[in-house]
Amino acid sequence: MPKGYWIARVDVTDDEQYKAYVAANAGPFKAFGARFLVRAGRFENPEGSSRTRNVVIEFPSYQAALDCWQSPEYQAVLQLRLAASSIDLVIIEGYDGPQPS
């Protein structure tokens, strides 16, 4: 079964409020088996537009990624982020097929 991912590009507008969101999101993410693969590391943007922070979160399945977003627990935490940032977020199913040789 393919994994699920949240791919987010973020501009933080209130650092202190965003820190509160980061602390609060640990519970819902843990409950849905989330694991951070990318969390605001260095990056280059050779094409297209970007934001100042990039995040990739892996979930055990696409359904778990959707369920986390839709959960009452995450929706409550989301209110902290809405006041502190602008974001582009995609919830996407991973690829579990053959790789090029």
Side-chain angles (χ1 to χ4, degrees):
M1 173 187 332
K3 294 183 179 187
Y5 298 88
W6 287 15
I7 302 172
R9 300 176 324 130
V10 184
D11 284 330
V12 176
T13 55
D14 181 334
D15 287 333
E16 292 307 311
Q17 182 74 13
Y18 196 81
K19 287 178 187 174
Y21 162 73
V22 168
N25 70 26
F29 286 161
K30 183 177 180 182
F32 288 92
R35 182 172 80 102
F36 283 89
L37 300 180
V38 174
R39 197 171 196 178
R42 294 185 312 171
F43 71 96
E44 294 291 324
N45 187 209
E47 292 189 45
S49 62
S50 70
R51 292 189 180 258
T52 57
R53 182 180 176 95
N54 299 286
V55 179
V56 178
I57 306 170
E58 179 182 75
F59 290 83
S61 67
Y62 177 65
Q63 190 61 52
L66 289 174
D67 290 347
C68 182
W69 170 260
Q70 296 167 352
S71 72
E73 297 81 8
Y74 183 76
Q75 289 299 307
V77 170
L78 172 64
Q79 300 311 306
L80 295 171
R81 188 188 52 72
L82 290 175
S85 65
S86 297
I87 184 173
D88 298 316
L89 174 68
V90 175
I91 300 174
I92 190 166
E93 184 177 49
Y95 178 69
D96 200 17
Q99 296 296 323
S101 17

